[in-house]
Amino acid sequence: GIVSLISLAVLSYERYCTMTGTTEANTTSYRKTWTGIILSWSYSLVWTAPPLFGWSSYGPEAPGTTCSVNWHSKDANNASYIVCLFIFCLVIPFVIIVYSYGKLLCVIRQVSGFNKGMGRTREQRILIMVVVMVICFLLCWLPYATVALIATFGKPGLITPAASIIPSILAKSSTVYNPIIYIFLNKQV
């Protein structure tokens, strides 16, 4: 899950850099691609390894079908890890995504000011794609993060196993949605 979140943030920043001209698109070299992949996996490893070394722990999620961080432990060690996961693996990637696509839309708007007809429809398509991607990101991960925070900081038993199934499935299926969005909303694909 964290790899997919970080990958979305890296992709949005890379797309922003490529589209705004701060870096050149080079289809003959895979260096940027491999750097993004290594960065995504390394960052994710940094945030998923601590429970193996004693900062929080892993255990079955409420339905008992999947394994995840122990959301139900109320000690400070576990709570601090949950807060760090929330900030560094949800909030920061989301801020990067919003920043990158927001700046990209500003650049597209400036460029489309020169070419009213074609630029307007292109700008609207890109705007719709970006809005759909950000909404899907939020729909997939906010329910899961909310359930996790309530389970960690709320009263014990407040989140039932049945109530935690849908947020868990949404979060774990999030990697499926972006390719679908790109295919249906990007005419270049």
Side-chain angles (χ1 to χ4, degrees), residues 18-189:
T18 301
M19 296 295 284
T20 58
T22 56
T23 60
E24 287 206 20
N26 184 358
T27 57
T28 61
S29 172
Y30 293 104
R31 186 173 186 201
K32 274 182 20 178
T33 304
W34 281 109
T35 302
I37 291 169
I38 291 168
L39 176 69
S40 298
W41 281 88
S42 298
Y43 189 86
S44 300
L45 183 62
V46 164
W47 287 107
T48 55
L52 302 174
F53 302 106
W55 189 20
S56 188
S57 63
Y58 287 115
E61 286 187 315
T65 56
T66 59
C67 182
S68 185
V69 176
N70 184 359
W71 304 114
H72 300 286
S73 176
K74 301 290 185 189
D75 64 352
N77 180 24
N78 190 60
S80 64
Y81 180 70
I82 301 298
V83 168
C84 285
L85 270 182
F86 184 77
I87 292 168
F88 291 99
C89 297
L90 180 70
V91 173
I92 289 176
F94 181 68
V95 167
I96 290 170
I97 289 168
V98 169
Y99 172 81
S100 298
Y101 285 134
K103 290 296 241 180
L104 184 59
L105 285 174
C106 289
V107 168
I108 290 169
R109 229 187 181 133
Q110 290 171 348
V111 170
S112 68
F114 298 116
N115 186 359
K116 292 285 184 199
M118 182 80 155
R120 275 285 180 226
T121 57
R122 181 173 175 245
E123 177 187 345
Q124 289 170 345
R125 278 197 325 266
I126 291 173
L127 178 62
I128 289 169
M129 185 173 68
V130 168
V131 168
V132 169
M133 287 181 67
V134 171
I135 288 171
C136 282
F137 179 91
L138 289 174
L139 287 176
C140 288
W141 287 103
L142 272 184
Y144 188 73
T146 303
V147 166
L149 289 174
I150 291 171
T152 302
F153 298 107
K155 290 191 297 187
L158 187 61
I159 301 294
T160 64
S164 66
I165 290 173
I166 292 175
S168 178
I169 291 171
L170 275 173
K172 289 171 176 53
S173 67
S174 66
T175 56
V176 174
Y177 305 127
N178 275 341
I180 293 170
I181 293 167
Y182 275 119
I183 288 169
F184 287 111
L185 296 179
N186 190 347
K187 291 190 177 202
Q188 294 175 335
V189 174

